[in-house]
Amino acid sequence: MTVSRKEISAGAMFIAFGLAYGYQSAFGLQVGTVRNMGPGLFPLALSIILFGIGLAVAFNGLQGDRLASKSAGIPWRPICFISAATVCFALFATTLGMLPVTFLITFIASFARKQTRVLPALFMSACIAVFCSLLFTYGLGLPLPVFGSLFRS
Amino acid sequence: MEFLSNLAIGFSVVAQPTNLLYCFIGVFLGTAIGVLPGVGPLATIAMLLPMTFGLSPEGAIIMLAGIYYGSQYGGSTTAILMKLPGEASSVVTTIDGYQMAQKGRAGPALAAAAIGSFVAGTVATVLVAVVATPLTLLAFQFSPAEYFSLMVLGLVFSIALASGSLLKALGMICLGLLLGLTGTDIYTGATRFTYGLRELFDGLEFTAVAVGMFGISEIIRNLAGKDELRGPVARIGSLWPTREDRRRMIAPILRGTALGSLLGVLPGGGALLASFVSYTVEKKVSPHGHEMGNGAIEGVAAPEAANNAGAQTSFIPMLSLGIPSNVVTALIIGALIIQGIVPGPGVISKNPELFWGLIVSMWVGNMMLLALNLPLIGMWVKLLQIPYTILFPLIIAFCCIGVFSIGNSSFPIYQLTIFGLLGYVFARLDCDLAPFILGFILGPMIEENFRRALLISGGDLSVFVTRPISAGLLATAVIALVVVSLPFIKRKREDIFVEES
């Protein structure tokens, strides 16, 4: 048996969620009694169960005599570029409009792969942007205009 | 003859040209996206969900159901041709299907999968139509206590079938239930877990959560892995099964259909369990069982029939009780709620067109699949070869646009980002996402019924065990939990899931 980092991390995650939600339910909400339940009772009960499960999972992970080999690292590259792409869509969708914003986010997202080169990525993003504008704004009639408020003043 | 008149209502709904078109679009898109490597049925449905918001409720659910079995079928195509199961329920198909393809018999394998699915779909559709009505009548006698117990049972079954550790699956359910409670409490008007954000008063946006967890996090996972070495696509050759093939297909298809229909009804069951069990059974009872594993047609026909039957009968608990039995039906319930329809026993009397329309559309959809897939197989194979470099930015654009279109606002996209990351963390820690989503959907329902039951009983917790139906359901849940925790079964269960992954 090896000590499992995964199990310990999963347990820690459950414990953290259990504590956070339990704290909010117990102190931020009316708990009430079983006869007259407040909004906090059900979440508080769930948080306590979750906390207990977290302890058990972490304890299971500790059952071992040697440390498991280190697992693969965190894939920062895809995480950063893909999150940046979605956040950019949220920030700029209405100001830029469908075509420019789709172009922007697919261009950003494509760099989640290390091998991506600038020129092919530009070309591909342009194609996807045109395709999405045709499909969603013209085809399905989504109320997001092809060019946003920035281009209309 | 009530049965026939009900089916007539259904046919009149489906025969409307717009609905036929939605059914076709659903099946077509579902297959197209299901065929794409690295995109499973869940991601497909989650991604296309927002496209249905503008449709009528009937159109939306017909299209979603079409997407579901389309993507299911697309998954088995890649399983046979490339040994890449698009989803868990076609894992067993890869065993004999890919072997057949290697022997130059990919055509008959694809045909067996299509014909098996169609036969199973037809039988299962009739079954859904027959069983749903009496179950609905039963459901009307349910009080909040029974509903609470039934949902607990559903959640427990979903853990029993989840991959990985039981404890972690339990944890994921609690976490899903908790996050599902975000928003305004219906009894007191108190806001819970909203951190002062007015946008959260109505709760977390279900679509954003689902698309993030299954769409975005899957992309991160795929990109984090090493560049996959994709095997060459097997040549298809003639599609027609030989006379020998046809003779050998019949019994496995019927057995698969029967098993699949039965297992699909179980809460938490559905296509995955059905395909595994039917493969194992086929290996034992078929006269050709010893050939299975080396490209026997039985090994394709039986599990494919079973997973399609299971996929369809899993609509029974959803339609009659309003309780999702797996993640796909949970997604469809989410879509119905957005359409303003409260799923449950009331649907059959309040929206008969929706109910019977869906049932008939299942059968029509299956027929379209048969007509669409065999002749167009060449086109699907072309789709298989689209490189992931182009696919993933396109999927991201689809996810963002789709989630934005829910309320024409940016706020759900921030939720999409957060749940995409969270989904990746869960997956990295081997925490199954399915119980989380089920819990998330059931959270508000389960709390409401719990509180209502206790309100009626005057705070007496024993109400859950003194009412016979409720007690029976809870007892079943406890027995199921005990059984899967038994050391012997636990080992067996882990074996199955190791084989699968």
Side-chain angles (χ1 to χ4, degrees):
Chain A
M1 275 297 271
T2 51
V3 173
S4 164
R5 289 173 200 269
K6 258 185 195 165
E7 296 295 306
I8 296 169
S9 316
M13 180 183 76
F14 288 148
I15 291 171
F17 271 109
L19 284 177
Y21 274 82
Y23 176 81
Q24 292 177 68
S25 316
F27 298 104
L29 294 165
Q30 211 87 47
V31 174
T33 60
V34 176
R35 186 177 273 277
N36 186 13
M37 271 193 280
L41 192 126
F42 198 71
L44 181 62
L46 282 174
S47 309
I48 294 170
I49 299 173
L50 185 60
F51 181 80
I53 292 173
L55 283 182
V57 171
F59 180 76
N60 268 346
L62 284 169
Q63 302 291 309
D65 36 25
R66 59 205 157 84
L67 205 59
S69 56
K70 219 172 158 113
S71 58
I74 301 167
W76 288 115
R77 196 179 174 99
I79 287 178
C80 292
F81 278 98
I82 287 176
S83 307
T86 53
V87 169
C88 277
F89 191 95
L91 289 175
F92 304 124
T94 42
T95 33
L96 285 179
M98 177 75 86
L99 189 91
V101 86
T102 316
F103 176 79
L104 177 71
I105 68 153
T106 41
F107 185 68
I108 296 174
S110 62
F111 285 94
R113 268 171 76 103
K114 228 194 253 146
Q115 303 89 329
T116 305
R117 289 160 189 273
V118 176
L119 275 179
L122 278 174
F123 177 70
M124 183 192 69
S125 310
C127 292
I128 293 178
V130 171
F131 172 70
C132 286
S133 308
L134 288 176
L135 178 66
F136 288 103
T137 307
Y138 292 114
L140 292 168
L142 285 196
L144 185 62
V146 174
F147 289 101
S149 52
L150 183 70
F151 300 94
R152 263 181 277 138
S153 53
Chain B
M1 284 302 100
E2 200 195 345
F3 174 66
L4 286 181
S5 67
N6 285 334
L7 283 185
I9 301 180
F11 269 107
S12 69
V13 173
V14 176
Q16 288 167 20
T18 44
N19 287 340
L20 268 182
L21 182 71
Y22 294 143
C23 186
F24 175 78
I25 295 177
V27 170
F28 185 83
L29 281 181
T31 316
I33 298 182
V35 165
L36 297 176
V39 189
L42 285 173
T44 311
I45 296 180
M47 214 164 77
L48 298 178
L49 200 58
M51 291 178 78
T52 64
F53 291 162
L55 311 182
S56 66
E58 291 88 31
I61 195 173
I62 286 173
M63 185 163 149
L64 282 172
I67 294 172
Y68 177 32
Y69 27 84
S71 59
Q72 182 105 354
Y73 187 84
S76 47
T77 307
T78 51
I80 291 170
L81 293 180
M82 297 169 78
K83 209 180 179 181
L84 276 180
E87 39 146 351
S89 69
S90 48
V91 168
V92 284
T93 312
T94 57
I95 306 172
D96 280 273
Y98 191 66
Q99 284 294 332
M100 280 180 75
Q102 292 303 81
K103 291 177 183 161
R105 288 176 26 82
L110 288 167
I115 296 167
S117 297
F118 178 71
V119 173
T122 310
V123 175
T125 303
V126 175
L127 196 72
V128 174
V130 173
V131 177
T133 325
L135 250 183
T136 310
L137 293 179
L138 179 74
F140 274 121
Q141 299 174 354
F142 278 22
S143 72
E146 275 85 34
Y147 268 107
F148 173 79
S149 307
L150 188 65
M151 285 186 242
V152 171
L153 178 67
L155 288 174
V156 165
F157 270 121
S158 85
I159 312 173
L161 301 167
S163 55
S165 117
L166 284 176
L167 261 179
K168 283 200 278 188
L170 263 177
M172 291 303 279
I173 283 186
C174 291
L175 198 52
L177 288 169
L178 272 173
L179 286 166
L181 294 179
T182 305
T184 310
D185 172 38
I186 49 163
Y187 285 100
T188 59
T191 55
R192 295 189 282 186
F193 316 121
T194 55
Y195 311 102
L197 293 167
R198 189 196 304 240
E199 288 92 341
L200 285 180
F201 284 6
D202 285 334
L204 290 164
E205 182 56 55
F206 165 72
T207 320
V209 174
V211 176
M213 288 240 159
F214 293 108
I216 302 287
S217 82
E218 198 169 83
I219 292 177
I220 299 179
R221 239 177 306 153
N222 285 340
L223 289 174
K226 293 185 192 69
D227 274 345
E228 50 182 319
L229 289 172
R230 255 192 246 157
V233 180
R235 281 183 50 97
I236 295 170
S238 162
L239 277 174
W240 282 110
T242 60
R243 180 173 300 182
E244 163 83 359
D245 286 337
R246 271 175 280 161
R247 198 178 50 72
R248 280 173 57 174
M249 259 158 54
I250 299 170
I253 286 179
L254 294 180
R255 278 190 289 259
T257 305
L259 270 173
S261 306
L262 226 94
L263 293 170
V265 187
L266 287 184
L272 172 64
L273 183 70
S275 65
F276 271 93
V277 172
S278 87
Y279 188 85
T280 320
V281 167
E282 202 55 38
K283 215 168 177 170
K284 292 238 165 69
V285 301
S286 166
H288 301 278
H290 56 279
E291 290 171 40
M292 279 171 68
N294 298 315
I297 201 158
E298 287 86 354
V300 178
E304 281 299 309
N307 74 29
N308 208 37
Q312 293 208 3
T313 52
S314 68
F315 277 85
I316 291 178
M318 180 198 116
L319 287 171
S320 51
L321 306 170
I323 292 175
S325 62
N326 54 36
V327 187
V328 173
T329 45
L331 286 168
I332 293 180
I333 284 188
L336 280 179
I337 292 174
I338 292 170
Q339 293 275 1
I341 288 176
V342 183
V347 171
I348 196 169
S349 52
K350 268 184 253 159
N351 311 75
E353 290 86 16
L354 179 95
F355 186 90
W356 295 105
L358 171 67
I359 288 177
V360 173
S361 87
M362 290 178 171
W363 185 71
V364 175
N366 271 295
M367 209 158 62
M368 285 185 186
L369 268 182
L370 197 63
L372 201 64
N373 282 303
L374 295 181
L376 291 183
I377 189 77
M379 193 180 92
W380 303 134
V381 172
K382 287 255 159 47
L383 274 180
L384 274 174
Q385 290 149 341
I386 297 181
Y388 201 61
T389 329
I390 297 175
L391 270 182
F392 82 87
L394 188 64
I395 296 175
I396 296 212
F398 265 63
C399 292
C400 288
I401 296 169
V403 170
F404 180 85
S405 70
I406 301 166
N408 226 17
S409 88
S410 287
F411 190 75
I413 301 195
Y414 296 117
Q415 300 177 36
L416 171 83
T417 312
I418 291 170
F419 279 94
L421 295 176
L422 211 52
Y424 176 72
V425 172
F426 290 157
R428 264 300 283 276
L429 299 177
D430 293 340
C431 294
D432 200 352
L433 298 175
F436 176 89
I437 286 284
L438 268 184
F440 184 83
I441 286 274
L442 287 177
M445 291 192 231
I446 214 168
E447 186 199 23
E448 195 190 326
N449 284 295
F450 181 73
R451 279 163 83 171
R452 216 187 279 164
L454 286 182
L455 219 60
I456 295 170
S457 75
D460 184 7
L461 277 169
S462 71
V463 65
F464 297 108
V465 287
T466 47
R467 294 185 60 103
I469 300 180
S470 167
L473 292 167
L474 281 182
T476 318
V478 172
I479 293 170
L481 257 188
V482 171
V483 168
V484 288
S485 330
L486 292 176
F488 168 71
I489 305 275
K490 205 172 162 187
R491 228 178 304 122
K492 264 260 160 91
R493 182 175 161 278
E494 274 156 13
D495 283 351
I496 291 177
F497 285 108
V498 164
E499 234 171 76
E500 172 206 322
S501 53

